[in-house]
Structure formats: structure tokens, C-alpha cells
Amino acid sequence: MKIRKILTIISFYLIFGQTFITAQNNEYSNMAVTIKFSNRTIYYPDNTESNPVNIHITIKNKGTDTLRFKLADNRMFSIDFHAYTVKNKQLKQTDGLIEKRTTNQTVYFREIALDPGEEYSFIENLKEYLVVDDPSIYYVDVSFYPELYKSKFISVNTNRLTLEVKPSPSSASSNYIPVKEESVEILRQEELSPDKVVEQTIIARQKSLWDQFFLYMDIESLIKRNPSLKNKFITVSEDERIRMVDAFKKDLMQSRIENDIIAVPEKFVIEKTTYTPTEGIVVVTEWFKYTNFRERKSYTYKVRQREGIWTIYDYTVVNLGTE
């Protein structure tokens, strides 16, 4: 009888707990939490302070009533980052994060109230939460805890980002570090319009600024234009993919492949730009000067938008004759 009574009590608390959690989660059903890269740049392993992966986190009230939640002054008690490789291997949490959460301390927080349609945003460095020690492609999302980490069973999950971490450049291969002309400033992708992305890419090629030329170029998609390279690319390991991308860039720079995309125009005019929220086409007329004549070609650049950044992933060329 005692065992049956104990089981009955346990069942009661389990049911009560599940009901409570469901009710609490329903309370935050109108909370939308989204993430995007903040000042997106080229990311390398480690170097938490000098090469952060800053993520812009936005909390929005999409309901019709005031939304109230707690937000810790130390955001480590309000959010968790999750990152997985293409093989579904999860990144480990940093020692700093584990230490803060396991140390007996007072967690200071604020009560936030958002009226319908209002938003609250902040930025956090993913590398302070997760150990990023290998170059790879990672899929990143965030769990937000509106009742703080101690009540992490109550959470709101975000959208997913694709994070590419490149191998750390050595001093002997500094040419792989994108920098602006006559500057040591690291290049960063910006939220440019499709026509501006194409314009900047062509100008970079005219000035032989390869790093700027590659900045908005989806090299992986260009590789997949070649059927034999595509078959190999999708079957090899992540490390081998990175080597294939580097080799493809070198071949482009030495004019071994894809001669149309690396041809240097004397001048160009953007004729037409059309795009949806995720896909676009930019049509450009380009003139190429030779010894006794000029050749005119029409380039159609296909662009794609991911996390606010447009990149060139394909192109076609039509000869328009000589002048």
C-alpha cells in the first residue's frame, strides 16, 4: 500500500509539473525570438575577443497583450547557444559558462514589459558560450529563457543561422586575410542590395583586389556548377571541402578556370535588377578592350540572400558582338 501511495504521489507531481510547464510556455506563445549576425565578418577558431561571433538577438511581442519576462544582467542566465556540424556533432559549452552557472551567486535581472509589436534587442558573443576550435560549417540557434536559466524548461527557440568558420590564417599565408586597399581593416560583409554587391565585385576585379572580389562570391555554389566537382564536393569531409574551396580560388586567380567570371571589363553598366526577398538577378553589360577592337557581353548574375547578406552563386554570359 505504501508503494502504491508513493507512486500515486509521484504521478500527481509529474502531471502537475507538466501542466505547470505547459501553462508557462503558453504564457510566452506570443514571444518571437530571432537571431542574425551582427557586423558579419570572416570567422576563425578560438580568439574569443579578437574575432568574436557576435549575434544580434531580438525579442518581439507578436501578441495583443503586454508581454512580461525576466532578463538577466549577465545574459548567460537568459540564453543558451546551440551549434551543430553537418554531421550533427554539438559544440561544447565553454568553461567560463559552466563555471558561472555552477557557482553559488546572486543572479540580477530586470523585468521587461513589451507592448504589442514592441521589440527588445541585445548582442552576445557566441564564443563566450561555445568552444569553437575547429574550422567547419555550423548550424546555430538560441534558446531564450523568459524565467531565467534556473527555469530552463520554459524556453523559446529561435531561427537557425549557418556559421562558416575558416581555418586560421598563418603568417605565411596572410594573403587569405581580406583587407581593404591600403588598409589593415578586416573586410566585413555588409547588407548591400543585389546591384551593389555585383557592382562592388566587378570593381574589385578591375582593381585586382581578390579578397574583395571573393567577399560576396558563393564559391561552393560555383564549384557545384561543374558536375564532376559537385559529385566530389558533396561526398567528401568538411576539411576536404575547405581545401577544395581554397584550390578553386587559386585556380580562379591563375585564370585556369571560369574565365568569364574573372574577366576584367574596361567598363560596365548595370542594366536591370530584379529580386524577391531571397533570390535575385542582376543584368550587366560589360565591355572588354583588346588591341584592335572592343567586345561587348551581357552578364546575368544570380544572387541569393541569407541572413541579410546577398551573394553571387551563379552567372551566365551572352556575347553581344564587337565594336
Side-chain angles (χ1 to χ4, degrees), residues 266-279:
E266 178 190 22
K267 65 175 183 177
F268 67 94
V269 174
I270 296 178
E271 305 286 359
K272 182 174 67 173
T273 303
T274 57
Y275 57 96
T276 67
T278 57
E279 296 273 343

Side-chain angles (χ1 to χ4, degrees), residues 24-72:
Q24 287 287 84
N25 279 318
N26 288 338
E27 182 181 348
Y28 299 106
S29 61
N30 289 322
M31 173 184 285
V33 186
T34 57
I35 58 174
K36 66 178 182 178
F37 290 103
S38 175
N39 295 324
R40 186 168 185 169
T41 183
I42 296 177
Y43 303 110
Y44 302 110
D46 303 318
N47 300 318
T48 301
E49 294 184 2
S50 61
N51 183 235
V53 179
N54 286 327
I55 303 295
H56 187 277
I57 302 167
T58 299
I59 303 166
K60 182 177 181 178
N61 180 3
K62 61 178 184 178
T64 56
D65 298 321
T66 299
L67 175 67
R68 303 180 188 278
F69 58 92
K70 298 180 177 69
L71 184 67

